[in-house]
Amino acid sequence: MSVDPPFWEALSLDEMNDQQWESLCDGCGRCCLQKLEDEDTGEVWFTRVSCVQLDCSSGRCKDYGNRFSKVPDCLAVRPLTEQKIGWLPESCAYRKLAQGEPLEKWHPLVSGNAESVVKAGISVADRCVSEAEVPAEDYFHYLIYWDNTGGD
C-alpha cells in the first residue's frame, strides 16, 4: 500500500491553494524583523528590531488579517520572487521549498506541534524589540546572526 507524500513534497509552491500556502508559515516571526541591506553587495542582514505590528512576546502579528493596510511595506510573500527569497530567513519554509530543500524537523507540518518552532529556538518570541522603541539609525546595533539550527 502506497502512502501519498505530504502536499509540500507533491506540489510546487505555485500549485498550492491558499490554505496549503498559509500552513507553510511556521510562525517564527523572522520575516517581520527589520533588515539592513549592504548597498554594495546586496547582502541582507537581519536585526532583532521587529515591525511595530509584531507582538514580541508571542512572535506573532497583532493583526495578521489586516497587516498590509496597517503596514504598507509588509512583505507579501506570495507570489514568491527571487528578490523576496533574499529577504526571507534561510530557515523559512517558502525559501527552503523554492530552493528544493526539505522542511526542517521542527516545522509544525513535520513535527505536528505548533510549539516546536519555539522549542527549537527558531521563533523571535521574547527575542525582539519593537521598531517603536529603536530609532532607524540604531538598527545596526541590533544585528542578529543565526546558525539556522535555532541558535543565534
Side-chain angles (χ1 to χ4, degrees):
M1 174 159 91
S2 73
V3 177
D4 290 335
F7 74 87
W8 62 89
E9 293 177 359
L11 301 173
S12 72
L13 289 169
D14 290 336
E15 294 172 322
M16 292 181 190
N17 63 36
D18 290 344
Q19 181 181 359
Q20 292 165 327
W21 178 272
E22 288 292 324
S23 72
L24 287 176
C25 177
D26 59 36
C28 71
R30 289 182 174 191
C31 61
C32 301
L33 297 177
Q34 298 299 334
K35 294 130 190 110
L36 301 175
E37 184 174 7
D38 185 310
E39 292 178 7
D40 297 326
T41 67
E43 189 171 6
V44 175
W45 299 89
F46 284 77
T47 72
R48 289 185 186 274
V49 181
S50 73
C51 167
V52 71
Q53 281 299 117
L54 189 75
D55 178 334
C56 285
S57 297
S58 68
R60 306 293 275 181
C61 185
K62 294 175 187 173
D63 192 358
Y64 186 78
N66 297 306
R67 66 193 181 281
F68 298 119
S69 62
K70 292 192 173 192
V71 181
D73 63 347
C74 180
L75 179 65
V77 180
R78 194 175 201 181
L80 192 59
T81 63
E82 284 299 316
Q83 181 181 16
K84 290 176 185 178
I85 288 172
W87 284 86
L88 295 173
E90 290 181 18
S91 59
C92 178
Y94 302 111
R95 182 174 181 159
K96 292 184 94 42
L97 293 176
Q99 295 174 332
E101 298 175 25
L103 296 183
E104 298 287 348
K105 292 176 186 171
W106 48 258
H107 192 285
L109 288 174
V110 177
S111 70
N113 180 352
E115 290 301 308
S116 60
V117 179
V118 174
K119 289 178 183 174
I122 301 299
S123 174
V124 301
D126 294 324
R127 296 167 61 192
C128 60
V129 60
S130 175
E131 66 184 350
E133 300 174 31
V134 180
E137 62 269 15
D138 289 343
Y139 286 5
F140 71 94
H141 291 295
Y142 292 84
L143 291 178
I144 185 168
Y145 305 91
W146 287 307
D147 66 9
N148 295 318
T149 62
D152 55 305

